[in-house]
Amino acid sequence: MKAKYTLFNVIIVCALCIGLCNAGAFAKSKDLLLVIDTSLSMAGYGGKNIMPLVKQSLPKFIDQLDDNDSLTLVTFDTEVKIYPTVYIKHKSNKDILNKYISMVEAGGKWTYTMAMMAAVFDKARKLQAEDPDREQVIIVITDAIDDPPPYARAHRYDVKKIAKQYSGNEWFIFFVNLGQMQKDSHIAKVQKEVKENISQYTKVIDAREGLDKVITQDLKKDIDTMAKVKEINTRPFYMHPIFIIVVAIVLLIILLLLLRRAAQLKVRGALEYWNNDLLEPTIEKVNLTAKNSRTISIGKDSHNLIRIHDFTLRTPILLKAVWFDKAVKCQLIAPENTVQFVNRDAGDILNDGDIFKIANYTFKYYEG
């Protein structure tokens, strides 16, 4: 029993390893849109100046980008500014991105969130159209204040107004929240609406404590984790870890049943035999079950499990365990025209009490 459980554990572990390895095997290159709130509130107007720490942390994040990824820097306040997309082919490409970051300043009077969302989603859609095999990742770093300019007060943040044209996408959308406690309800609402209307892969990351750690360590891990989750969710059902585990369990059950069935295939019972040529022969009896074998050979040579020195038949005969009519029976295998049954007509499946003659010996089989 212990061996069976060990085999079960091995199969499950292998299935999980296959699933996890496949998750990594299908990793896609990413188009990242790094969106930075550059309104005055990010520079300390009415609160803490967090822009310097954001700019200080981002180069470490950029350094973690994989080859063939792209990054598009987007800033927003009263207006939305989209920088040229940079593809990571060499360190010099990251240097260009770092230069863009160094140029960012928080000085906008207003925070036009609705315009930003529309512009960013439109850019993500264009990148997706250019190469559908890439993942689009949107990272919005903001203090969660929605304060559009006076001329756009009628266009306060409302995802539902733009949801129709962008719904059904599977972009990765992260909101890095730098706001105060009172902003939590707003950012939670943003996440809920985006998740329900744009992409299910939406997450808010609380960066009020430990901003540097969030940007330099946690953000990349969150992106990779979300990519693995999406890959598992979208892979063919036959490559899903749960399916693999189910198949492994089914195969294990089949294997155990086959092993059990094979273990039952042993010749059982007893066999008496005596020499026909003698007037008062000695009757020998052998316990077939004790041989613990699927096939028992009977012959005059030493390699046979049952050796009869004066047996005149040169070719050994065999007693073989077989499945017959849903039961394990003993099959007699002997050269053609050498077997003569005493108690019944000819046949190769032995029944309890069968008596048969072969060459100079008579045999009687006892079943069970």
Side-chain angles (χ1 to χ4, degrees):
M1 186 61 70
K2 184 176 181 181
K4 292 180 181 179
Y5 281 124
T6 301
L7 180 60
F8 175 82
N9 292 338
V10 169
I11 290 178
I12 295 301
V13 170
C14 288
L16 289 173
C17 288
I18 291 172
L20 292 175
C21 288
N22 284 336
F26 292 95
K28 297 181 179 180
S29 296
K30 300 174 182 64
D31 293 320
L32 292 92
L33 288 94
L34 180 60
V35 185
I36 303 176
D37 182 348
T38 52
S39 62
L40 283 172
S41 59
M42 292 284 288
Y45 182 76
K48 181 181 177 182
N49 186 356
I50 50 181
M51 183 57 76
L53 187 54
V54 171
K55 294 173 64 174
Q56 177 183 323
S57 303
L58 283 175
K60 297 177 185 177
F61 170 74
I62 291 172
D63 193 53
Q64 299 174 52
L65 299 181
D66 298 321
D67 288 347
N68 206 39
D69 284 348
S70 77
L71 189 143
T72 305
L73 178 63
V74 180
T75 60
F76 76 102
D77 40 62
T78 305
E79 297 180 349
V80 180
K81 180 178 181 180
I82 300 178
Y83 288 72
T85 298
V86 177
Y87 287 85
I88 308 301
K89 302 291 185 181
H90 190 267
K91 183 180 179 300
S92 60
N93 303 126
K94 295 181 179 180
D95 292 338
I96 294 173
L97 291 172
N98 289 329
K99 183 177 181 180
Y100 288 163
I101 297 296
S102 68
M103 296 165 58
V104 172
E105 297 295 339
K109 186 176 180 181
W110 308 104
T111 309
Y112 197 174
T113 307
M114 193 67 178
M116 176 273 291
M117 297 293 277
V120 169
F121 290 160
D122 186 62
K123 180 63 177 180
R125 186 169 60 180
K126 290 178 180 178
L127 290 170
Q128 185 179 46
E130 291 176 5
D131 190 345
D133 290 332
R134 297 170 67 90
E135 298 284 9
Q136 282 67 49
V137 182
I138 300 171
I139 304 166
V140 181
I141 301 177
T142 179
D143 58 6
I145 296 175
D146 180 34
D147 187 19
Y151 63 83
R153 291 297 164 88
H155 300 285
R156 282 189 177 274
Y157 175 79
D158 185 355
V159 169
K160 294 178 181 178
K161 291 182 179 179
I162 58 174
K164 185 175 182 180
Q165 55 183 320
Y166 300 111
S167 63
N169 285 292
E170 294 186 337
W171 303 329
F172 302 161
I173 303 175
F174 296 90
F175 292 95
V176 180
N177 180 22
L178 307 176
Q180 302 302 312
M181 291 295 291
Q182 61 267 31
K183 309 300 190 309
D184 284 354
S185 59
H186 174 70
I187 200 74
K189 179 183 177 182
V190 171
Q191 179 196 24
K192 182 176 182 294
E193 292 182 350
V194 172
K195 195 168 188 175
E196 291 177 350
N197 295 280
I198 305 296
S199 172
Q200 60 176 314
Y201 300 103
T202 301
K203 179 180 181 180
V204 170
I205 302 175
D206 188 354
R208 292 170 303 183
E209 300 293 336
L211 173 60
D212 183 71
K213 179 177 179 296
V214 166
I215 293 179
T216 62
Q217 299 179 34
D218 299 344
L219 188 54
K220 182 64 164 62
K221 291 178 182 178
D222 285 340
I223 293 172
D224 292 341
T225 299
M226 192 172 283
K228 289 179 180 179
V229 170
K230 178 184 175 183
E231 192 279 323
I232 290 174
N233 290 341
T234 57
R235 71 172 58 170
F237 74 93
Y238 54 83
M239 295 185 66
H240 199 284
I242 294 178
F243 178 81
I244 295 173
I245 290 174
V246 170
V247 171
I249 292 174
V250 171
L251 291 177
L252 175 62
I253 293 173
I254 293 174
L255 176 61
L256 294 178
L257 291 175
L258 290 175
L259 290 174
R260 181 181 178 184
R261 186 179 176 91
Q264 294 175 334
L265 276 178
K266 300 290 178 66
V267 177
R268 302 184 184 279
L271 186 70
E272 290 183 348
Y273 55 92
W274 60 90
N275 192 328
N276 300 324
D277 295 339
L278 302 179
L279 294 177
E280 296 182 0
T282 301
I283 298 177
E284 302 286 349
K285 188 172 184 177
V286 61
N287 185 345
L288 300 175
T289 304
K291 298 294 183 181
N292 194 33
S293 178
R294 183 179 178 181
T295 304
I296 297 176
S297 59
I298 304 172
K300 62 190 301 181
D301 297 327
S302 59
H303 65 269
N304 295 291
L305 287 180
I306 300 177
R307 186 181 184 188
I308 304 176
H309 294 277
D310 55 346
F311 194 34
T312 58
L313 188 68
R314 292 185 176 183
T315 304
I317 63 173
L318 300 176
L319 298 178
K320 184 178 180 180
V322 295
W323 285 97
F324 180 79
D325 197 20
K326 299 182 180 180
V328 178
K329 304 290 285 187
C330 183
Q331 180 184 27
L332 173 63
I333 301 174
E336 189 175 2
N337 299 323
T338 59
V339 181
Q340 179 184 353
F341 277 87
V342 175
N343 63 316
R344 67 175 178 89
D345 294 334
D348 62 340
I349 301 298
L350 297 180
N351 298 311
D352 187 43
D354 277 351
I355 301 174
F356 53 93
K357 293 181 178 180
I358 299 178
N360 61 325
Y361 265 77
T362 299
F363 302 85
K364 184 173 183 179
Y365 173 71
Y366 296 92
E367 194 173 52

